[in-house]
Amino acid sequence: MGTKSPALVLVFLLLSAMASLCLAVNVTYDGRALVIDGKRRVLVSGSIHYPRSTPDMWPDLIKKSKDGGLDIIETYVFWDMHEPVRGQYDFTGRKDLVKFIKLVAQAGLYVHLRIGPYVCAEWNYGGFPIWLHFLPGIQFRTDNEPYKAEMKRFTTKIVGMMKQEKLYASQGGPIILSQIENEYGNIDWEYGPKAKTYIEWAAQMATSQNTEVPWVMCQQNNAPDPMINTCNGFYCDQFTPNSDKKPKFWTELWSGWFTSWGDPVPYRPTEDIAFGAARFYQLNGTLLNYYMYHGGTNFGRTSGGPFITTSYDYDAPIDEFGLLRQPKWGHLKDLHDAIKLCEEPMVETFGNTTSLGPNLEVTVYKTESGQCAAFLANLDNQTDATVNFNGNSYDLPAWSVSILPDCQNVVYNTAKINSATTIPKFILQATQNSTLSVASNQNGTTSGPPLSQWSWFHEPVGISSKSAFVLLGLVEQINTTADKSDYLWYSISTQINGNDPLLRDGSQILLHVDSLGHALYAYVNGKLAGSGKGSNSNNMASLEVPVSLEPGNNRIDLLSLTVGLKNYGAFFDLRGAGITGPVQLKGSSNGSTIDLSSESWTYQIGLKGEEVGLPSGGGSQLWVKGPVLPRKTPLTWYKFFVAPGGTSPVVIDFTGMGKGQAWVNGQSIGRYWQSDVSPNGKCTVTCDYRGNYDQNKCLKNCGKPTQEQYHVPRSWLKPFGNVLVLLEEAGGDPTAISFGTRETGHICSKVSEDYPMPLDMWHSNHLQSKNVKPTLSVQCPSPNQVISELQFVSFGNPHGTCGSFTHGRCRSKRARRIVHRACMGKAKCSFEVSVNAFGDPCANVTKSLVVEASCS
Ligand SMILES: *[C@@H]1O[C@H](CO)[C@@H](O)[C@H](O)[C@H]1NC(C)=O
Ligand SMILES: *[C@@H]1O[C@H](CO)[C@@H](O)[C@H](O)[C@H]1NC(C)=O
Ligand SMILES: *[C@@H]1O[C@H](CO)[C@@H](O)[C@H](O)[C@H]1NC(C)=O
Ligand SMILES: *[C@@H]1O[C@H](CO)[C@@H](O)[C@H](O)[C@H]1NC(C)=O
Ligand SMILES: *[C@@H]1O[C@H](CO)[C@@H](O)[C@H](O)[C@H]1NC(C)=O
Ligand SMILES: *[C@@H]1O[C@H](CO)[C@@H](O)[C@H](O)[C@H]1NC(C)=O
Ligand SMILES: *[C@@H]1O[C@H](CO)[C@@H](O)[C@H](O)[C@H]1NC(C)=O
Ligand SMILES: *[C@@H]1O[C@H](CO)[C@@H](O)[C@H](O)[C@H]1NC(C)=O
Ligand SMILES: *[C@@H]1O[C@H](CO)[C@@H](O)[C@H](O)[C@H]1NC(C)=O
C-alpha cells in the first residue's frame, strides 16, 4: 500500500474514534439476566488460564472455545508471576495478560477477569507471591492492614492496566465481569468476626475501582451488594443468589478434577457434565463457566497443592495439548447451540417448574408473546422414563435433560451424544534420522542420539555452596528458602564413639527422620540410604531406614523437597514444610538413641546445578562426557540435543526415570515423577454417568505413573539444536525416555434412530421437523486430512465403545458399502440414520449407526 493522504488519515482517525465510542458497552444485571447494552443475555463461559499455555497456543485455544459455543473466556490473574519481587512487575511471554485479553476480544468473545488476587487454582501458594509472607505483621485474607494494603495495591495495578488499554466493556473492551477474592465463604468462619469486616472492605475496595462492570464474589453467600455471589461445584442447579436482584451465576462448573502425584487420574463423563449444565439452565441459570475449558500445563514450579501434577488437563473439553477432547467438546457445543435457541424466552421470564411424576420435572419458559422453550428432566439415576408433555410423549433416559426450544421438538438430550469420539494417540518420533527419540542405546535396537551427544553432571551430595550457613536445630523450609528452590540440604557430621551402645551391641542401626513435607532423601556418608514422601492428602514425609555407621565421623545429608506450595484452606500460607524433626539414630535394641534434632546443622538452599544455572546454559564446564552414561545414579543432571518433527504437540514420555525436573532450551517444562505410581483398586473399566458425580467416582491410570506424558510447547523448540536438561533426583535411565507427538487417532461416531434431530436443521426445518432424522457425521480433525480407513461400520445393534466395537445380532448388510463409498478419501461425510438409508435389518429394534474411521 502507498502512503495515505493526511485527509484519509483524519477520516480514519475519526472513524476509529467513533467506532470506539459506539463500542462502549453498558453492562448491568437484574434477577434474571446479564444485560449487555440493553440486551438481556444467557451466557456460556469457559476458563483458560493464560500462563498454563504459551502465547502461540492462545489464538487456537480461543478459536476452539468460540467454535465450541462459548461467549466468555474466564481467567484468574496470577499475582506471583506478575510481581515476583515486590514492586517489580512482569507481563512478558506467558504472563502477557493484556495480549491474551486482546486476542479474546479479536475473536469476538467477552472476558471475565477474576483478579482475586487470591486464586487458589492448584497454583503455587494460591497465587500469592512468597514475599508477601515476609511482610511484618501480615495476616492473609483477613481484616489486616498490611495485607489489605497489598491486596488493594495489586488490584489497583491490574485494574489500572486494563483501563489504560481500554479493556473494560465500558471503554469498548471485552471485560464484562470481574471477581474479587475467591471462595472465601468456604473457610471464612475460621477467621472469626474479622472475616465479615474483611469481605465488606473487599467489596467496597473493588467497587471503588470504578470499572463500570459488575463484580462477582464466588462461594460467598454474604457478599455485600452490589457484588454478585455465585456458585462453584459439580452441580449448582439448587443454588440461589442472596438477592432476587442478582442473576444466578455458576463460576466453576468442574469439567473434571485436578490430579495429584501418587493418585489415580479423575475424569468426568460427558453425559454428566451436560446434565449438570442443562439442569442449571433449566432452573433459572443465567451464566455458567466451565472450570476448566482448557486446563493446560503447570510449567516450571507453578503447581500448588502440594503434590499437584505438572499436567493440569482437568479432563477439560480442550485437552492439555490444545486438541479437542471428543465427544466432550462436541456434545457441550451441541448443548450451547440448543441453549441459544431458547435464549429469547429464557431471558424474558423465569422458568415455571412442575413435576411430571417421581424424579420427573418440566420447566417452561413462556413469554407473553407466546414464545416457549421447555426442559424435561429425568432425575432418576436408574430408570428411563416416558413422559407426556403438551400432548406429546417423550422418552427420557435416566439422569438426562431434553431441551425443546419450541416446547415441542427435542433438539438435544444430555445422554444422547451425537458428537464423534476421538482417541488421542502418542506417535513415537521417527528414530534413525532424527535425534528425537532416545530409545535404548544398547546393541540391536539402537535408535537414540549417539552416546557422544550426552553429557552429565553428578550433583554433589550435601553442602557444596559458599552460601551455606549453620544454625542450631532444624528449621522450617519455606521460611528458609523463600521458595527459591524445591531443595534444602540439612547436613550434619556426627562423631560416634566406638563404645557407643549404638555401635557396640552390633544390632542394626536405624536413621529416623520426620518432616512436615513434602519429600526427602537421606544420604549417609555420601550414599543414598532411603527416601520418603507425603501426598496431597497428607503432606508429611518420613523415613526410618537401616544405615551403617563407622566409629568416628559420620556425615548425614538430608535433602528435603517441596512439591508445590499449599494453595487451599484457612491459613494455608502458614503451613510449613521441611525436616522439623525429630532426626534420630536408633539402635534396634532398646534405649540407645542419638537425637540429632537440636544439634548444629549446615544448610544449603538449592542445588549446585541450580546455582550455576545448568538448565539455561550456565556452568558449561561442569558437563562431563564419556563412554559410559551413568544410569540409576541419584542426583544426576543430564543434557542432550533433540530436534522436533512435524507440527503436532510435542510430548516427552519419561519412562525409565524416577523424579526430577526438566528444561527445554532453558524453559522449565515442570516437575516429572515417573516413579510415583498410583495404587491399584480404585479404578473401574467403565463409569456409569448416572447418579451424583464426585472426584472419586471415575478414576483411571491405577497401577501406572500418575503422569506419563509431559507437554513441550512447540514455541520453545527450534528446528535444530534443542537442548534438553534433566535433573534426576532418585536415579533413572535417560536412554529409555521417548519423544513423540500427540495426534488424533481413530474417530468414532454412534448415533441412534431415536436421537434428536441435527441442530443445524432447526432453523430451516423446525416447522416440519417431525420428518427430520438424526444424522451421523464423520469429520477428520484437520481440514487437510481425508478418511483413509474404516475400522468398523454397523447399522443395527452393535456393542462396545470406540476402539472395541463388535457387531450385534441385528446388522445391515449394506451399511459398510454405503459408508465406504461416501467417506473414503473425503474430509467429511454424513448420513441420515434411518432405515431409508440403510434398509431395515430388524423391525421393532431401535437401530444405531456406528462408524469408526481414521484419517491421514
Ligand atoms: C446502563 O444501564 C442501566 C440499566 O439498564 C441504566 O440505568 C444506566 O443509566 C446505564 N448507564 C449508562 C452509562 O448508559
Ligand atoms: C425461578 O425463578 C422464579 C422467580 O423467582 C421462582 O418462582 C422459581 O421458583 C425459580 N425456580 C427455581 C427452580 O428456582
Ligand atoms: C406453571 O405451570 C403449571 C402447570 O402447567 C400451571 O398450572 C401454573 O399455572 C403455571 N404457573 C405460572 C405462574 O405460570
Ligand atoms: C530418514 O531420512 C531420509 C533421507 O533424509 C528420508 O528419506 C526418510 O523418509 C527418513 N525416515 C524417516 C523415518 O523419517
Ligand atoms: C555390542 O556390540 C559390540 C560391537 O558390535 C560387541 O562387541 C558387544 O559384544 C555387543 N554387546 C552385546 C551385549 O551384545
Ligand atoms: C516462619 O517464620 C515466622 C516468623 O518467624 C513464624 O511466625 C512462622 O511460624 C514460621 N512459619 C513456619 C511454618 O514455621
Ligand atoms: C524394647 O523393650 C520392650 C519392653 O521393655 C520390649 O517389648 C521390646 O521387645 C524391646 N524392643 C527391642 C527391639 O528390643
Ligand atoms: C441413586 O438414587 C438413589 C435414590 O434416590 C440414591 O439412594 C442413590 O444414592 C443414588 N445413586 C447414585 C449413584 O447417585
Ligand atoms: C413389530 O411390532 C408390531 C406391533 O407390536 C407387530 O405387529 C409386528 O409383528 C412386529 N414385527 C416383528 C418383525 O416383530
Side-chain angles (χ1 to χ4, degrees):
M1 292 277 277
T3 41
K4 296 191 183 92
S5 77
L8 269 178
V9 170
L10 190 64
V11 169
F12 175 76
L13 285 177
L14 269 174
L15 279 174
S16 25
M18 280 164 64
S20 65
L21 277 180
C22 296
L23 286 173
V25 160
N26 185 11
V27 185
T28 58
Y29 61 83
D30 60 28
R32 181 66 195 106
L34 195 65
V35 188
I36 303 177
D37 242 9
K39 190 162 161 36
R40 313 171 56 73
R41 298 299 310 272
V42 165
L43 295 163
V44 189
S45 171
S47 291
I48 300 177
H49 296 156
Y50 52 98
R52 285 177 156 144
S53 51
T54 50
D56 67 302
M57 293 170 69
W58 293 344
D60 184 56
L61 295 175
I62 293 164
K63 178 174 189 303
K64 285 172 172 159
S65 304
K66 185 177 187 180
D67 293 346
L70 298 195
D71 305 295
I72 305 173
I73 294 204
E74 177 275 339
T75 182
Y76 281 131
V77 178
F78 296 86
W79 188 358
D80 61 331
M81 290 200 114
H82 294 309
E83 198 178 355
V85 175
R86 188 158 179 260
Q88 291 179 22
Y89 295 100
D90 185 354
F91 292 93
T92 60
R94 278 188 297 131
K95 293 160 274 189
D96 196 341
L97 173 62
V98 166
K99 178 175 182 176
F100 179 76
I101 294 176
K102 286 185 172 171
L103 285 170
V104 176
Q106 276 167 27
L109 300 182
Y110 297 122
V111 169
H112 177 192
L113 191 67
R114 298 170 82 191
I115 297 177
Y118 165 67
V119 297
C120 194
E122 290 72 61
W123 191 263
N124 197 51
Y125 218 40
F128 284 132
I130 192 74
W131 52 258
L132 202 62
H133 169 68
F134 296 100
L135 295 186
I138 199 157
Q139 287 175 300
F140 287 12
R141 302 180 77 198
T142 187
D143 195 352
N144 165 275
E145 295 306 326
Y147 173 74
K148 288 191 300 182
E150 292 301 310
M151 174 168 165
K152 179 173 181 181
R153 189 177 55 77
F154 183 71
T155 304
T156 307
K157 166 82 185 173
I158 295 298
V159 169
M161 269 180 87
M162 299 300 112
K163 283 186 180 169
Q164 193 178 352
E165 300 284 344
K166 301 211 183 317
L167 294 176
Y168 284 105
S170 50
Q171 302 172 295
I175 304 174
I176 55 166
L177 286 171
S178 203
Q179 178 178 299
I180 198 74
E181 247 296 337
N182 187 52
E183 294 191 340
Y184 189 60
N186 292 0
I187 45 105
D188 58 0
W189 56 276
E190 300 207 45
Y191 289 83
K194 282 192 166 182
K196 187 157 184 289
T197 50
Y198 165 59
I199 219 66
E200 280 162 0
W201 168 84
Q204 190 274 327
M205 185 273 284
T207 312
S208 73
Q209 299 282 342
N210 290 321
T211 62
E212 297 179 54
V213 301
W215 285 91
V216 157
M217 277 186 171
C218 68
Q219 292 289 95
Q220 193 70 48
N221 287 338
N222 64 353
D225 297 343
M227 305 280 125
I228 305 172
N229 67 306
T230 66
C231 180
N232 295 347
F234 288 115
Y235 306 95
C236 278
D237 48 87
Q238 300 303 320
F239 167 79
T240 44
N242 64 13
S243 149
D244 61 9
K245 298 193 171 52
K246 297 178 187 177
K248 177 166 167 175
F249 284 1
W250 187 356
T251 29
E252 294 186 11
L253 186 181
W254 299 324
S255 56
W257 196 245
F258 57 80
T259 306
S260 305
W261 299 116
D263 289 345
V265 178
Y267 64 95
R268 186 172 184 190
T270 296
E271 295 93 333
D272 181 60
I273 303 180
F275 174 79
R279 282 290 286 164
F280 177 76
Y281 287 118
Q282 173 172 8
L283 301 181
N284 292 339
T286 296
L287 179 157
L288 68 73
N289 174 70
Y290 296 98
Y291 186 100
M292 302 294 295
Y293 197 72
H294 169 257
T297 310
N298 292 313
F299 297 114
R301 300 171 57 247
T302 60
S303 71
F307 292 97
I308 298 297
T309 54
T310 294
S311 170
Y312 198 64
D313 180 81
Y314 225 92
D315 201 28
I318 303 176
D319 76 11
E320 174 177 7
F321 307 95
L323 303 178
L324 299 185
R325 173 166 279 118
Q326 293 283 47
K328 197 172 266 194
W329 181 90
H331 193 49
L332 294 175
K333 171 188 166 51
D334 290 346
L335 168 68
H336 308 150
D337 290 348
I339 294 294
K340 288 294 150 67
L341 291 175
C342 307
E343 188 174 5
E344 284 184 30
M346 280 178 75
V347 294
E348 237 183 272
T349 63
F350 288 95
N352 176 8
T353 301
T354 49
S355 171
L356 294 175
N359 282 326
L360 298 169
E361 275 183 13
V362 59
T363 301
V364 176
Y365 291 93
K366 191 167 190 177
T367 66
E368 295 196 341
S369 65
Q371 280 183 305
C372 186
F375 291 75
L376 300 175
N378 180 0
L379 310 180
D380 198 288
N381 59 32
Q382 300 267 311
T383 315
D384 299 345
T386 303
V387 299
N388 287 306
F389 166 67
N390 256 359
N392 293 319
S393 154
Y394 299 90
D395 290 331
L396 281 179
W399 205 255
S400 80
V401 177
S402 283
I403 300 177
L404 295 69
D406 58 357
C407 285
Q408 281 221 335
N409 291 287
V410 175
V411 296
Y412 185 82
N413 176 278
T414 57
K416 295 179 175 177
I417 301 180
N418 275 308
S419 169
T421 297
T422 55
I423 303 181
K425 63 180 176 188
F426 173 65
I427 301 198
L428 201 67
Q429 277 285 322
T431 50
Q432 310 294 349
N433 297 359
S434 80
T435 52
L436 249 180
S437 173
V438 190
S440 172
N441 261 315
Q442 312 284 20
N443 285 2
T445 55
T446 301
S447 55
L451 208 51
S452 62
Q453 291 193 11
W454 290 82
S455 346
W456 60 89
F457 166 64
H458 291 296
E459 174 71 28
V461 170
I463 306 302
S464 61
S465 166
K466 290 197 188 75
S467 60
F469 51 94
V470 177
L471 291 170
L472 201 60
L474 295 165
V475 299
E476 192 278 325
Q477 182 159 348
I478 300 164
N479 268 348
T480 309
T481 62
D483 201 29
K484 287 194 182 71
S485 164
D486 277 5
Y487 307 101
L488 178 64
W489 280 110
Y490 294 65
S491 179
I492 196 165
S493 268
T494 182
Q495 187 77 32
I496 300 184
N497 188 318
N499 286 330
D500 194 290
L502 208 55
L503 293 184
R504 206 184 44 202
D505 72 4
S507 67
Q508 187 62 56
I509 300 165
L510 301 172
L511 170 65
H512 177 95
V513 182
D514 277 328
S515 155
L516 293 176
H518 307 142
L520 64 95
Y521 299 94
Y523 288 82
V524 175
N525 295 324
K527 280 227 169 74
L528 184 61
S531 64
K533 71 173 193 79
S535 67
N536 177 267
S537 51
N538 177 9
N539 304 169
M540 305 224 256
S542 63
L543 63 79
E544 189 164 282
V545 287
V547 295
S548 43
L549 301 178
E550 310 290 331
N553 238 353
N554 289 275
R555 190 156 66 94
I556 297 172
D557 297 297
L558 305 176
L559 182 59
S560 178
L561 285 78
T562 50
V563 191
L565 301 191
K566 204 159 178 67
N567 59 270
Y568 182 74
F571 310 107
F572 73 85
D573 50 302
L574 302 178
R575 225 63 72 82
I579 299 166
T580 49
V583 177
Q584 295 167 329
L585 292 166
K586 302 204 285 195
S588 47
S589 60
N590 283 352
S592 43
T593 291
I594 300 178
D595 196 311
L596 301 170
S597 312
S598 324
E599 304 288 315
S600 268
W601 290 78
T602 307
Y603 293 95
Q604 176 182 313
I605 297 168
L607 304 180
K608 180 171 181 117
E610 292 179 295
E611 192 176 36
V612 302
L614 284 187
S616 47
S620 51
Q621 76 286 356
L622 295 180
W623 293 111
V624 180
K625 282 183 185 238
V628 184
L629 182 73
R631 297 176 204 201
K632 306 284 171 204
T633 322
L635 281 184
T636 307
W637 295 80
Y638 295 98
K639 179 171 87 162
F640 54 95
F641 291 91
V642 295
T647 54
S648 311
V650 178
V651 165
I652 302 184
D653 183 324
F654 280 107
T655 296
M657 300 303 281
K659 175 182 184 304
Q661 296 181 40
W663 296 260
V664 170
N665 296 332
Q667 302 266 15
S668 171
I669 61 170
R671 300 183 183 95
Y672 66 84
W673 201 339
Q674 201 69 24
S675 59
D676 215 3
V677 171
S678 74
N680 272 311
K682 289 184 181 169
C683 297
T684 50
V685 180
T686 55
C687 186
D688 189 350
Y689 68 86
R690 300 173 305 174
N692 272 318
Y693 177 83
D694 68 42
Q695 67 271 27
N696 300 313
K697 182 177 173 184
C698 308
L699 301 170
K700 58 183 184 183
N701 268 31
C702 286
K704 292 184 179 176
T706 300
Q707 184 177 352
E708 297 177 280
Q709 299 192 340
Y710 296 77
H711 182 202
V712 183
R714 273 279 162 193
S715 58
W716 292 356
L717 292 164
K718 306 176 278 187
F720 302 100
N722 296 288
V723 181
L724 174 71
V725 171
L726 303 177
L727 164 61
E728 171 57 42
E729 299 161 4
D733 179 0
T735 61
I737 292 175
S738 50
F739 289 77
T741 51
R742 175 104 167 173
E743 321 262 354
T744 300
H746 292 186
I747 308 166
C748 299
S749 285
K750 175 176 182 175
V751 171
S752 293
E753 284 177 299
D754 65 349
Y755 275 21
M757 77 171 88
L759 268 161
D760 52 10
M761 297 288 191
W762 174 257
H763 288 294
S764 46
N765 277 340
H766 86 277
L767 290 177
Q768 66 277 20
S769 56
K770 282 264 166 337
N771 301 320
V772 180
K773 298 283 193 283
T775 56
L776 173 145
S777 350
V778 183
Q779 183 167 11
C780 291
S782 155
N784 43 28
Q785 287 180 319
V786 292
I787 296 164
S788 55
E789 207 182 332
L790 292 170
Q791 278 78 17
F792 184 84
V793 176
S794 180
F795 180 70
N797 62 350
H799 311 292
T801 54
C802 196
S804 63
F805 283 115
T806 53
H807 289 285
R809 193 172 293 180
C810 163
R811 161 182 187 188
S812 152
K813 297 231 156 51
R814 293 193 235 158
R816 190 173 178 97
R817 200 170 4 126
I818 294 172
V819 171
H820 189 276
R821 198 182 312 131
C823 296
M824 290 297 281
K826 308 259 170 60
K828 184 182 176 180
C829 53
S830 47
F831 304 92
E832 181 181 300
V833 181
S834 76
V835 293
N836 304 341
F838 295 99
D840 194 349
C842 39
N844 295 358
V845 173
T846 305
K847 287 162 284 287
S848 303
L849 177 63
V850 166
V851 177
E852 178 168 345
S854 49
C855 298
S856 58

